[in-house]
């Protein structure tokens, strides 16, 4: 995986301990970019430390369901078990104490034990998903026609427009990951998209979620998808 000016060829290229940035409803996927507006002092400190070091942070959602087997650290909020490592690939100071940054996804990770905090933010031992660092040839497994049909139906139902020329030019991987990250779905749906084991499953999950939302909000799904 080539991200910014760095290459990550295997777990040995990644830290064993990672600072984590809990963010509800946020989805970062390998190779994709997530813009961030940082203003809370402990996370400003986190980004200062990351910029002075390996430029890596972990994006993760706070726990959203009591039924999940999430990472629980007692009196502090529980976190989902799976997140995505992001490398800081752009950075700007606003002059009013905020940072405007963008992180690019490197690979997903699983949270293990929490370690002693540093400057107010949380750090965990992690287990990276090594397969995310490879370049799988799985784009051809995506049912692009079904994905675009669901996307078009959602846009039509909500009276939205899209740049279809750009959509047609996009690779299956770019299309699936971009649509997953931009989708207006809730934390549980975003987590399901993150935890999908491969691109094909992520696309199928995205289609299924979209069809459920359309059927719930607009009724006859068969007419919508025609």
């Amino acid at each position: 995986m080539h991200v910014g000016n760095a290459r990550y060829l295997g777990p040995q290229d990644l830290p064993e301990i990672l600072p984590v940035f809990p963010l509800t409803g946020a989805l970062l996927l390998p190779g994709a970019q997530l813009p961030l507006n940082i203003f809370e002092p402990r996370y400003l400190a986190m980004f200062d430390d990351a910029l002075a070091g390996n430029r890596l942070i972990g994006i993760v959602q706070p726990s959203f369901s009591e039924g999940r087997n999430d990472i629980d650290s007692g009196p502090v909020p529980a976190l989902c078990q799976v997140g995505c490592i992001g490398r800081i690939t752009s950075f700007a100071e606003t002059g009013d104490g905020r940072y405007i940054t963008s992180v690019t996804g490197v690979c997903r990770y699983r949270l293990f034990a929490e370690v002693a905090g540093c400057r107010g933010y949380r750090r965990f031992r992690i287990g990276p998903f090594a397969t995310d660092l490879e370049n799988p040839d799985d784009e051809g497994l995506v049912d692009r026609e079904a994905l675009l049909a669901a996307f078009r139906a959602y846009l039509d139902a909500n009276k939205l427009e899209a740049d279809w020329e750009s959509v047609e030019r996009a690779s299956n991987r770019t299309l699936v990951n971009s649509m997953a990250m931009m989708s207006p779905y809730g934390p549980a749906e975003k987590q399901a998209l993150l935890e999908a084991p491969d691109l094909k499953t992520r696309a199928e999950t995205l289609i299924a979620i979209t069809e459920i939302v359309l059927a719930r909000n607009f009724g006859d799904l068969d007419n919508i998808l025609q």
Side-chain angles (χ1 to χ4, degrees), residues 1 28 101 208:
M1 173 68 74
L28 176 64
T101 74

Side-chain angles (χ1 to χ4, degrees), residues 25-27 29 151 154 175-187 189-191 193-194 202 205-207 209-210 213:
L27 175 61
L29 294 168
F151 181 46
Y154 183 88
L175 190 62
V176 172
N177 289 345
S178 297
M179 289 173 61
M181 288 182 61
M182 292 186 297
S183 65
Y185 304 135
E189 290 81 6
K190 290 292 183 76
Q191 194 66 24
L193 291 166
L194 174 67
R202 182 171 298 131
T205 302
L206 184 57
I207 292 169
I209 293 171
T210 301
V213 170

Side-chain angles (χ1 to χ4, degrees), residues 40 51 60 81 126 141 199 214:
E40 193 171 338
L51 287 166
V60 67
Q81 289 183 309
I126 63 163
L141 301 177
L199 189 68
L214 288 173

Side-chain angles (χ1 to χ4, degrees), residues 93-98:
E93 294 180 307
T94 63
D96 60 0
R98 294 178 295 119

Side-chain angles (χ1 to χ4, degrees), residues 20 22-24 40 42-43 60-64 70-80 111 114 120 122 124:
V20 299
L23 197 57
T24 300
E40 193 171 338
R42 56 180 167 171
Y43 296 125
V60 67
Q61 289 202 93
S63 177
F64 48 81
D70 295 326
I71 298 296
D72 189 355
S73 40
V76 294
L79 303 174
C80 292
L111 288 175
E114 185 164 6
R122 300 172 70 182
F124 286 82

